[in-house]
Amino acid sequence: MPKYNLTATQQDELISAYCELICDSMDWKSMEQFVYQTLIEDYSNLSHDELLEDIELTMDEDVLEELINKNKTFVNFKEKIERNIKKSKFSIIAEIKKASPSAGVIIEDYDPVKIAEIYNKNNATCLSVLTEEDFFLGNLNHVSDIKQKINLPILCKDFFIDKFQVSLSKSYGADAILIILAGISENLSHQLYEEALKQNMSVIIEVHTVSEAKMALNFKEALIGINNRNLKTLETNINTTYEINNILVNHLSLIHISEPTRPERISYAGF
């Protein structure tokens, strides 16, 4: 299972920083900003080899290939989204998440299968399942558990730092992966993208700036997600969609991430 790149010492330092911020009565928004910047900067500044030191490879490639071939639960994530686009219909990618670095534990009695069943009954198009273990308290087993009960395409949300993780996620039943351009090098993003296509998985490329949007156009087969949350300030601004959409206007498959918390916001976004 992939582990986040922070060492035990770094995690202790992060926890200490939390305590210092609380003791200094820093407001919650400032705390969020500090934590996210710490995670993103630590993650992106380490070399590829350093990141791999914290990955536990529990299976070899032959075993993974066998598990992938035996798994008959795969659903085409991108195709389902694009069918709705052609019918001028909205698609809802419903998120399943136990915790986050900023909010802590969101759901104490966490049952991802039950949550997925609720989404399915309410006509969600696809599911997005957090599988990162240390900060989001997820697990790849959540993907396979859901797939045993529900036939919806699943996006695996984790910190992908090696193409092995792409195959690993598919062996658990994931249909798509998320690549956040702000968090990894351009070279690594292309490696992950090519491996996903090789595995017949869908890819969402997440962008939140104009420069990232221009880069995303190089991933011809990907869905592109516009994140309205600025990863440096943590502020959400729906106008980000309009600014970036001008770059991506000819790309068929766009996804709106963060901000539309009310129905009228979805209409306002123009989706």
Side-chain angles (χ1 to χ4, degrees):
M1 294 289 293
K3 293 289 186 182
Y4 194 74
N5 59 283
L6 294 182
T7 65
T9 300
Q10 289 174 316
Q11 291 183 41
D12 287 342
E13 290 174 350
L14 188 60
I15 292 171
S16 296
Y18 263 101
C19 295
E20 289 176 11
L21 291 174
I22 293 171
C23 291
D24 290 342
S25 300
M26 181 174 284
D27 61 90
W28 182 248
K29 183 177 179 181
S30 298
M31 187 185 300
E32 281 188 312
Q33 180 177 340
F34 169 81
V35 172
Y36 271 110
Q37 284 184 321
T38 299
L39 296 182
I40 292 169
E41 288 171 3
D42 282 347
Y43 176 57
S44 57
N45 287 340
L46 290 179
S47 70
H48 184 69
D49 289 340
E50 288 174 320
L51 290 172
L52 287 182
E53 289 179 2
D54 286 332
I55 296 182
E56 297 176 1
L57 303 183
T58 58
M59 308 176 193
D60 62 31
E61 291 183 1
D62 291 337
V63 174
L64 275 182
E65 184 176 354
E66 182 179 351
L67 288 172
I68 289 170
N69 291 335
K70 286 182 178 180
N71 196 322
K72 305 301 181 184
T73 66
F74 302 116
V75 187
N76 194 311
F77 190 102
K78 179 184 175 183
E79 188 176 274
K80 191 163 186 184
I81 297 287
E82 292 189 335
R83 279 203 305 265
N84 280 349
I85 292 173
K86 290 174 182 177
K87 296 176 183 178
S88 298
K89 293 174 61 178
F90 289 119
S91 292
I92 301 296
I93 303 173
E95 189 167 75
I96 299 176
K97 176 170 64 178
K98 178 179 176 65
S100 76
S102 59
V105 175
I106 299 168
I107 304 174
E108 290 286 353
D109 187 18
Y110 183 66
D111 188 331
V113 176
K114 285 185 178 179
I115 297 171
E117 288 173 341
I118 293 170
Y119 284 145
N120 189 38
K121 288 177 182 177
N122 287 276
N123 301 314
T125 312
C126 305
L127 301 175
S128 171
V129 180
L130 268 294
T131 59
E132 195 279 329
E133 294 183 358
D134 293 330
F135 293 95
F136 293 89
L137 306 183
N139 194 294
L140 278 169
N141 286 313
H142 297 164
V143 173
S144 55
D145 291 345
I146 292 169
K147 274 296 187 74
Q148 290 175 21
K149 300 284 186 179
I150 297 169
N151 188 36
L152 284 180
I154 294 179
L155 169 70
C156 177
K157 292 186 73 174
D158 205 327
F159 297 117
F160 286 89
I161 59 175
D162 186 78
K163 64 182 184 180
F164 177 88
Q165 292 174 268
V166 179
S167 302
L168 184 64
S169 67
K170 179 157 186 176
S171 75
Y172 280 81
D175 305 291
I177 65 166
L178 178 71
I179 298 176
I180 304 174
L181 292 186
I184 57 177
S185 69
E186 184 175 357
N187 181 54
L188 178 54
S189 64
H190 280 280
Q191 288 182 30
L192 297 173
Y193 171 74
E194 293 298 335
E195 182 64 23
L197 295 187
K198 177 182 173 182
Q199 296 293 344
N200 294 315
M201 298 178 76
S202 301
V203 178
I204 297 178
I205 302 292
E206 180 179 311
V207 303
H208 74 285
T209 66
V210 169
S211 61
E212 289 173 4
K214 291 178 180 177
M215 188 186 304
L217 291 173
N218 294 320
F219 301 87
K220 303 295 184 183
E221 300 300 319
L223 301 159
I224 299 179
I226 302 174
N227 192 346
N228 291 292
R229 183 183 297 277
N230 186 309
L231 297 182
K232 294 182 178 179
T233 66
L234 293 182
E235 294 179 352
T236 56
N237 185 346
I238 200 168
N239 289 323
T240 303
T241 291
Y242 295 107
E243 295 168 2
I244 295 178
N245 188 62
N246 292 331
I247 305 298
L248 304 174
V249 67
N250 293 321
H251 190 87
L252 176 63
S253 307
L254 297 180
I255 297 170
H256 187 70
I257 305 171
S258 299
E259 181 61 26
T261 53
R262 302 186 302 276
E264 61 267 27
R265 278 295 193 183
I266 298 176
S267 299
Y268 180 63
F271 281 79

